[in-house]
Amino acid sequence: DAMVIQNPRYQVTQFGKPVTLSCSQTLNHNVMYWYQQKSSQAPKLLFHYYDKDFNNEADTPDNFQSRRPNTSFCFLDIRSPGLGDAAMYLCATSRGGLDRNYGYTFGSGTRLTVV
Amino acid sequence: GDSVTQMEGPVTLSEEAFLTINCTYTATGYPSLFWYVQYPGEGLQLLLKATKADDKGSNKGFEATYRKETTSFHLEKGSVQVSDSAVYFCALTLIQGAQKLVFGQGTRLTINP
């Protein structure tokens, strides 16, 4: 089945130690998104890639960066994780553009714990 | 800006009760509307969607109708089950560009046997 896969499912990192979360898709979607979700709050968009174009949300901290080396993969890098960065990180994809019948597909998420 | 407002939770019901979770939106354009469900410890799953006015989305006994005149997309189910316990998010996206999703704050639903 075509899908969005996030690895790892659970990640524990030390305060201040860089960490990378990964996302891959087999949908060949143009757009890949990273959302941060804390304690059953609404997911908050951090940034997205539309093809190779990177788009950062205005309030995303500089501590968060992303890479998309090809259509299938997208990475979230947290340069110096703080305790406040502990959250569920959700990757999602969509075709974008003017397709009203698009599929917006989420991965299962990576739960990040900072110790 | 574009926004979604959901009824505040948590909502607690008995099994087989009727469910309504209210959702209203504000959008500068002509959005598509969605309900997502999140079970404990899981990611988001699309429950249903509607892409134009008067469309009714339905899935697993849940329904919601896109009401442009009242800018609403209320979620309903005639008879809830314990397995419906989850957090429900209403969301919209404008059909342009990157189609970013705008979420409501979520409503936690608990169904007691």
Side-chain angles (χ1 to χ4, degrees), chain A residues 33 37 40 42 57 97 100 102, chain B residues 34 38 51 93 97-99 108:
Chain A
Y33 313 80
Q37 188 183 26
S40 292
E57 294 301 299
R100 189 169 281 274
Y102 74 80
Chain B
F34 307 86
Q38 187 173 35
T51 59
T93 189
Q99 295 189 1
R108 181 177 296 278

Side-chain angles (χ1 to χ4, degrees), chain A residues 12-47:
Chain A
V12 179
T13 191
Q14 291 180 336
F15 183 95
K17 183 176 181 181
V19 65
T20 295
L21 310 181
S22 73
C23 177
S24 64
Q25 56 136 339
T26 59
L27 298 155
N28 203 33
H29 279 173
N30 299 98
V31 193
M32 295 187 77
Y33 313 80
W34 280 104
Y35 286 83
Q36 179 192 62
Q37 188 183 26
K38 296 184 177 181
S39 302
S40 292
Q41 295 177 19
K44 176 180 179 298
L45 182 63
L46 295 174
F47 27 59

Side-chain angles (χ1 to χ4, degrees), chain B residues 77-98:
Chain B
K77 187 175 184 181
S79 177
V80 293
Q81 306 300 315
V82 172
S83 57
D84 294 327
S85 299
V87 180
Y88 292 81
F89 292 95
C90 185
L92 68 79
T93 189
L94 294 179
I95 306 306
Q96 61 188 36

Side-chain angles (χ1 to χ4, degrees), chain B residues 12-53:
Chain B
T12 302
L13 296 172
S14 297
E15 205 167 20
E16 299 184 2
F18 183 87
L19 168 71
T20 300
I21 301 178
N22 289 338
C23 171
T24 57
Y25 69 89
T26 302
T28 52
Y30 186 8
S32 288
L33 302 174
F34 307 86
W35 278 99
Y36 283 87
V37 59
Q38 187 173 35
Y39 299 101
E42 301 290 326
L44 292 169
Q45 298 177 24
L46 177 64
L47 181 60
L48 53 85
K49 69 178 183 182
T51 59
K52 62 182 185 295

